[in-house]
Amino acid sequence: MDLESGRVIGSGLKPSVDLPHHLFLYRNMPAVNGVIHTHSNYATAMAALGRPIPLCLTAIADQFGAEIPCAPYVDNVGTTWARRS
């Protein structure tokens, strides 16, 4: 994926409908080096609350070392997500 143009490089696979969200994060948050995209009930709930996933388990500490930030929950209608950013 070319982050500037959003063009798929070297693959015949179609990108996710959430590609604009991911590109926005990469383009506007230089500290973001990767996106873990999930719709798990817990991650969605934390995003809807506008809160990170807390460092409450040793497994989280072992894997991430800190709380896990969540992007704000937004729908995919139009450019709603860009207006919230």
Side-chain angles (χ1 to χ4, degrees):
M1 176 66 54
D2 180 80
L3 295 180
E4 290 184 27
S5 70
R7 188 173 61 87
V8 177
I9 299 172
S11 174
L13 300 175
K14 184 178 177 182
S16 163
V17 297
D18 294 305
L19 176 63
H21 300 217
H22 299 171
L23 289 176
F24 182 87
L25 294 172
Y26 288 126
R27 291 172 180 161
N28 294 281
M29 301 178 75
V32 172
N33 294 310
V35 173
I36 298 173
H37 187 125
T38 179
H39 289 268
S40 75
N41 293 339
Y42 298 111
T44 301
M46 297 306 284
L49 290 170
R51 297 176 54 192
I53 298 171
L55 178 57
C56 59
L57 300 170
T58 56
I60 294 173
D62 292 345
Q63 292 298 313
F64 299 98
E67 64 187 17
I68 303 166
C70 293
Y73 177 83
V74 293
D75 60 35
N76 284 332
V77 178
T79 57
T80 303
W81 57 272
R83 289 193 302 269
R84 291 264 323 255
S85 302

